[in-house]
Amino acid sequence: MGVSNNITAVLNFIAFLASIPIIAAGIWLAQNPDNECIRNFRWPIVILGILVLLVSLAGFVGAYWNKQGLLALYLFSMALLIVILLILLIFAFVVTRPDGTYHVPGRAYEESRLDGFSAWLRDHITSSGSWAKIRSCLADSDTCIKLAQEYITADQFFNSHLSSLQSGCCKPPSVCGYSYVSPIMWVNPANPTADPDCYMWSNDQNQLCYNCNACKAGLLGNLRKEWRKANVILIVAVVVLIFVYVIACSAFKNAQTEELFDRYKRGWV
């Protein structure tokens, strides 16, 4: 195995290592309660990470055993995967840039407005056709039920740092002026006309505010925070992959030059 192939093999091992945080970020996203209810968003990152891992292994095998055809396939496939990852990163950054959350006076948690998030997220996640299944999934989860086990008094609840999903789905909007009984039971709204969601609230544990725009906004708020955290990991991994790919291309060209030079010395050309 020539020097250039040695370098390529080491680089592919680095690319292999870079695929691990991509897969880990995808698994972390998929295991979050809100993503469990949005199936289309659960596994794309994991699949891309696994593809990077497999392509890196193919490149390592090609470099170690000097399989030029396999190395060429590796370079093409890795270039394609890097482009897909870059497109995904740019797209995720654009659609998660708008932030619909706002601070509520006297509360530690924030609330969200649906129109504050990107139109693409609203159209593809909170549209009427998609929301029915998501709503049913959220109602079957313990997202809201566990709040009743964690907080007893109103002060405890108002000083808690709820997730955007819990803030939007598990209680009525603060502007409605409901009186606290428990985290999932509220009565006597002082200002029921302040927001259409005030009429959507129900103390039925299967209803709560799952039909509220606030719940839809809370789901988008959770997704936004999670994807922006995952983007940091993905950016680092993509930078490493690009660096590795550029050097691997150079090493591949050098390996071909070495092979031609060896043939020339042996009188094959």
Side-chain angles (χ1 to χ4, degrees), residues 108-129:
Y109 51 77
E110 295 179 323
E111 295 184 354
S112 306
R113 294 187 182 91
L114 185 59
D115 58 5
F117 295 96
S118 72
W120 189 91
L121 285 176
R122 297 199 307 268
D123 293 342
H124 286 78
I125 296 179
T126 63
S127 62
S128 58

Side-chain angles (χ1 to χ4, degrees), residues 22-248:
I22 298 175
I23 296 172
I27 293 174
W28 176 74
L29 283 172
Q31 289 181 339
N32 284 320
D34 45 0
N35 284 302
E36 289 181 0
C37 297
I38 309 174
R39 295 182 179 180
N40 293 339
F41 277 66
R42 291 188 67 183
W43 300 114
I45 299 297
V46 175
I47 293 172
L48 282 174
I50 292 173
L51 289 175
V52 170
L53 184 148
L54 293 176
V55 169
S56 299
L57 286 176
F60 180 85
V61 171
Y64 191 84
W65 278 281
N66 196 24
K67 303 292 185 181
Q68 296 299 310
L70 193 57
L71 281 174
L73 178 62
Y74 151 76
L75 290 174
F76 172 80
S77 301
M78 185 60 75
L80 182 61
L81 288 173
I82 289 173
V83 170
I84 293 174
L85 282 169
L86 284 172
I87 292 173
L88 179 63
L89 276 172
I90 294 171
F91 174 76
F93 177 80
V94 171
V95 300
T96 60
R97 186 175 182 182
D99 184 7
T101 60
Y102 61 92
H103 178 69
V104 181
R107 305 288 188 268
Y109 51 77
E110 295 179 323
E111 295 184 354
S112 306
R113 294 187 182 91
L114 185 59
D115 58 5
F117 295 96
S118 72
W120 189 91
L121 285 176
R122 297 199 307 268
D123 293 342
H124 286 78
I125 296 179
T126 63
S127 62
S128 58
S130 303
W131 187 251
K133 294 181 180 179
I134 295 173
R135 181 212 167 282
S136 177
C137 175
L138 291 174
D140 290 338
S141 71
D142 63 350
T143 301
C144 294
I145 301 301
K146 65 183 180 182
L147 292 179
Q149 302 169 352
E150 295 176 2
Y151 307 108
I152 299 175
T153 67
D155 286 340
Q156 287 178 330
F157 185 77
F158 293 149
N159 289 311
S160 63
H161 295 278
L162 305 179
S163 68
S164 296
L165 185 66
Q166 291 171 327
S167 176
C169 301
C170 305
K171 64 171 191 57
S174 298
V175 71
C176 301
Y178 275 86
S179 298
Y180 175 93
V181 177
S182 78
I184 54 175
M185 184 172 291
W186 301 74
V187 296
N188 303 327
N191 193 16
T193 60
D195 190 304
D197 284 348
C198 299
Y199 294 104
M200 301 300 294
W201 170 258
S202 171
N203 285 319
D204 183 346
Q205 293 186 2
N206 292 318
Q207 299 291 329
L208 299 180
C209 217
Y210 295 128
N211 289 317
C212 301
N213 283 332
C215 186
K216 298 175 181 179
L219 177 65
L220 298 187
N222 258 34
L223 283 176
R224 179 184 180 276
K225 292 177 182 177
E226 292 161 3
W227 272 88
R228 290 182 80 85
K229 289 178 181 178
N231 279 353
V232 175
I233 298 174
L234 294 179
I235 288 171
V236 174
V238 169
V239 169
V240 171
L241 288 175
I242 292 174
F243 175 76
V244 166
Y245 182 79
V246 170
I247 299 179

Side-chain angles (χ1 to χ4, degrees), residues 66 68 252-269:
N66 196 24
Q68 296 299 310
F252 179 71
K253 291 179 181 179
N254 289 338
Q256 289 183 315
T257 302
E258 289 175 4
E259 184 177 356
L260 288 173
F261 184 70
D262 288 342
R263 288 181 179 180
Y264 177 77
K265 287 196 303 182
R266 295 172 185 174
W268 289 358
V269 294

